């Protein structure tokens, strides 16, 4: 191509620049040029330097000559493809997924080779491995035997794009339609992007087949086996494209060379499994049987299922499965057991996959008297012509009838009916269950019992808080977690009870209270169900001293589990003892109950009930807390808590006075008597701590120890004041100390220790006799002693 020269007419001189841009898809090189000098794009005038130019020249005068050799650039295709083969008994489907990297030049067409005899079901652009979908406009088959598929694009494809081609071919092979025992060989050619138009090709083949077909590869050329993970390492198709990717697939890898292979497929014979669930339910006058045959037919369908039933039940068994008919096989097979009849169960189509057939029948019972037992043999349904027959037997007892196995069951293993039943089975009222495989035998005994009335209301947990005030009134809050099947609760409160502004709350919400006669009240609970607990709260005020604390009584005599009684007394009041069916908390024996312990029990009562976390916590309390527990309380006056109380100041004063009085009485007694008195006091305190622990704890928390210490100090001072003068007088009248004389016979000191005299002073000291006129040495020594 020669670039033309444009010359301005009558111009004495002309200079300028020549710039050339080459379109995409073309490649140009300079053939010749004269009168021009090549320049850099940065040397161009500002208006032209902002554009992209492939060539730029400058000329100083005309004429000049510039020629190019131009040729079209061929596109370079790099292909990554995946071919998935789906073999069914009735069709063979191929799904080709490819990512094509178009380099050097864009294309408006893509070509792929498809095997002959296949129908092109769909061609579409898809997004694969990060590549955008190709803009597919249309497609058509051409070439020899219509094996060249041309895909037209609505826009130029440049870079990576993804396409997908779906091919289908019908199969009419008897060896695949049914289990003939003969394999079929199916030659297979795979669709590929035309190798002549691609510079590099890398592909994977994955073959899928249902469990009903046994598939192997044969005559494989141009491809090698590869792990399935490697086959999907680059491309992974969508799981919702309508193809079932199940079973154990086979995977191959190939490159640009031609690929050929064959599929060797054979239909598997049917595999039939039946899991039987037999529910035995004893009712008054009849035993109801319900047998569910859960079948699973794999690989190939079967036209019918055979079940042998006891001959005496042929007219009693009812088939409750829709679209399944039962029919006696005629003539009977030779392998039918004695006293059994072979049945054939058929449906509108062949049995294939999973399903269930339900058979029910009843067996009448003679009139059962209370305490009488009837023995029965559980009938056995026997599936025949199956590969695996298993099952479970579930025994259900009714309210007045009990069903238990007798003797030793044969071929049965006990299981947990709540945890180990077969998938999908649920028998909530099951008493026992067994599992079996193949043959089994079971005898049961049905016994009738007289039903007894049970309590319709139960108190699972309760906490009652009573705050005794100095004004002589007691504020009461009672919280109960309970269940009931009644419409209203009958409650009796103390005669002098005065209601709070909201006397009754159910689950934290205010409820109405209905008044009866003689202090009886009714609380409606019609909105509660027996299977869910609810929280009942009562609040009222009673007048009187805390010597007797009465609780609310449920007159319907519910089953009461545990109730915690929290008593708040003024801090100057001491509890000396208690009576009634209540046990003090362990901390009551030696120390006060920690404040806030009642909140712990309130939280226990709220557990399991759908109530706000603050329900029952807004009751004001004050004073010293004492905690008591009661189990199985009955609604009568004997359940009241009787307290023996006393003002703490008077108690401490009396204890202090009595101890000091005893100390004064024993002051002039001998030391031995005082020791005996202390021993008696210690034994008395020990007995009080054992039999009256609450009273003992109040004594030790008072001034008993101070009084005892004071008495001991006075006693000690008294003894010292009595002994000291006598000791000093004895020492003052003694002979001055001399050199101790030694015995003439033993040679030891004969001087007696002064301590002995101090320890045993004489009652009345006698005057010391005057010494003789001329004492000898021996007499002088004795006189000193």
């Amino acid at each position: 191509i020669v670039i033309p020269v444009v010359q301005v007419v009558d111009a004495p001189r002309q200079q300028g620049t020549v710039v050339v841009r080459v379109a995409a898809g073309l490649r140009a090189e300079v053939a010749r040029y004269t009168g021009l000098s090549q320049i850099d794009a940065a040397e161009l005038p500002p208006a032209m330097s902002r554009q992209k130019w492939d060539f730029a020249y400058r000329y100083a005068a005309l004429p000049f000559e510039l020629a190019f050799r131009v040729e079209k650039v061929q596109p370079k295709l790099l292909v990554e493809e995946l071919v998935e083969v789906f073999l069914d008994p009735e069709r063979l489907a191929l799904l080709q997924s490819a990512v094509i990297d178009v380099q050097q030049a864009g294309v408006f067409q893509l070509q792929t080779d498809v095997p002959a005899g296949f129908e092109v079901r769909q061609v579409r652009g898809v997004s694969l491995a990060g590549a955008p979908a190709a803009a597919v406009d249309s497609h058509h088959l051409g070439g020899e035997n219509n094996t060249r598929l041309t895909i037209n694009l609505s826009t130029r494809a440049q870079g990576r794009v993804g396409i997908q081609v779906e091919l289908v071919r019908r199969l009419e092979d008897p060896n695949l339609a049914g289990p003939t025992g003969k394999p079929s060989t199916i030659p297979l050619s795979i669709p590929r992007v035309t190798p002549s138009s691609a510079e590099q090709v890398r592909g994977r083949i994955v073959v899928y087949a249902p469990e009903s077909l046994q598939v192997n590869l044969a005559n494989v050329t141009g491809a090698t086996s590869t792990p399935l993970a490697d086959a999907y390492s680059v491309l992974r198709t969508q799981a919702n494209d309508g193809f079932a990717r199940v079973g154990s697939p086979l995977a191959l890898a190939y490159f640009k060379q031609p690929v050929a292979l064959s599929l060797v497929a054979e239909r598997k014979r049917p595999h039939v499994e039946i899991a039987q669930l037999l529910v035995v339910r004893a009712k008054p006058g009849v035993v109801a049987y319900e047998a569910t045959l859960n079948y699973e037919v794999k690989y190939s369908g079967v036209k019918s299922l055979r079940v042998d039933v006891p001959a005496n039940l042929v007219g009693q068994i009812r088939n409750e499965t829709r679209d399944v008919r039962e029919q006696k096989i005629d003539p009977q097979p030779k392998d039918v057991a004695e006293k059994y009849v072979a049945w054939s169960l058929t449906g509108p189509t062949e049995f294939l996959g999973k399903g269930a057939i339900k058979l029910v029948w009843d067996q009448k019972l003679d009139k059962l008297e209370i305490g009488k037992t009837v023995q029965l043999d559980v009938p056995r349904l026997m599936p025949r012509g199956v590969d695996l027959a298993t099952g479970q037997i579930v025994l259900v007892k009714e309210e007045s009838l009990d069903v238990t196995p007798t003797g030793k069951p044969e071929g049965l293993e006990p299981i947990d009916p709540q945890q180990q039943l077969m998938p999908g089975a649920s028998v909530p009222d099951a008493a026992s269950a067994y599992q079996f495989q193949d043959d089994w035998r079971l005898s049961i005994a049905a016994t009738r019992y007289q039903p007894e009335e049970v309590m319709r209301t139960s108190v699972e947990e309760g906490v009652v808080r009573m705050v005794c005030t100095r004004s002589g009134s007691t504020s009461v809050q009672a919280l109960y977690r309970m269940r009931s099947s009644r419409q209203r609760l009958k409650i009796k409160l103390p005669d002098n009870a005065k209601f709070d502004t909201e006397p009754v709350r159910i689950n934290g919400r205010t409820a109405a209270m209905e008044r009866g006669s003689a202090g009886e009240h009714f609380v409606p609970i019609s909105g509660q169900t027996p299977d869910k607990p609810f929280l009942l709260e009562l609040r009222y005020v009673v007048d009187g001293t805390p010597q007797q604390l009465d609780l609310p009584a449920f007159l319907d005599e519910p089953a009461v589990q545990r109730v915690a009684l929290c008593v708040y007394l003024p801090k100057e009041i001491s509890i000396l003892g208690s009576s009634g069916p209540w046990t003090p908390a362990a901390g009551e024996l030696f120390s006060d109950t920690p404040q806030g312990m009642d909140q712990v029990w309130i939280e226990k009562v709220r557990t399991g009930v759908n109530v706000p976390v603050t329900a029952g916590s807004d009751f004001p309390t004050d004073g010293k807390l004492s905690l008591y527990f009661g189990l199985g309380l009955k609604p009568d006056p004997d359940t009241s808590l009787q307290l023996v109380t006393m003002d703490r100041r008077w108690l401490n004063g009396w204890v202090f006075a009595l101890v000091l009085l005893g100390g004064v009485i024993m002051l002039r007694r001998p030391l031995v008597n005082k020791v005996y008195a202390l021993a008696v006091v210690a034994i008395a305190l020990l007995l009080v701590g054992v039999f009256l622990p609450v009273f003992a704890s109040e004594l030790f928390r008072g001034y008993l120890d101070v009084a005892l210490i004071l008495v001991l100090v006075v006693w000690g001072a008294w003894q010292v004041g009595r002994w000291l003068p006598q000791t000093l007088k004895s020492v003052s009248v003694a002979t001055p100390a001399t050199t101790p004389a030694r015995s003439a016979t033993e040679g030891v000191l004969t001087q007696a220790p002064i301590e002995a005299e101090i320890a045993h002073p004489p009652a009345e000291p006698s005057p010391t006799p005057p010494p003789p006129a001329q004492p000898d040495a021996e007499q002088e020594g004795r006189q000193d002693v």
Side-chain angles (χ1 to χ4, degrees), residues 717-775:
W718 169 264
Q719 290 297 123
V720 172
R722 181 182 178 186
W723 291 342
L724 186 59
Q726 297 178 2
T727 303
L728 295 176
K729 184 175 182 181
S730 299
V731 173
S732 64
V733 301
T735 304
T738 61
T739 303
R742 294 180 179 273
S743 175
T745 58
E746 297 180 0
V748 296
L749 293 177
T750 59
Q751 183 179 0
I754 297 177
E755 289 80 359
E757 183 179 352
I758 295 176
H760 303 283
E764 294 182 0
S766 59
T768 305
Q774 294 180 351

Side-chain angles (χ1 to χ4, degrees), residues 76 128 151 172 261 297 347 423 427 450 488 499 505 508 606:
K76 178 181 179 182
L128 294 172
I151 304 172
E172 296 179 359
L261 60 106
V297 182
V427 186
Q450 178 66 36
R488 50 178 42 84
F499 292 117
R505 298 179 184 180
R606 290 196 299 244

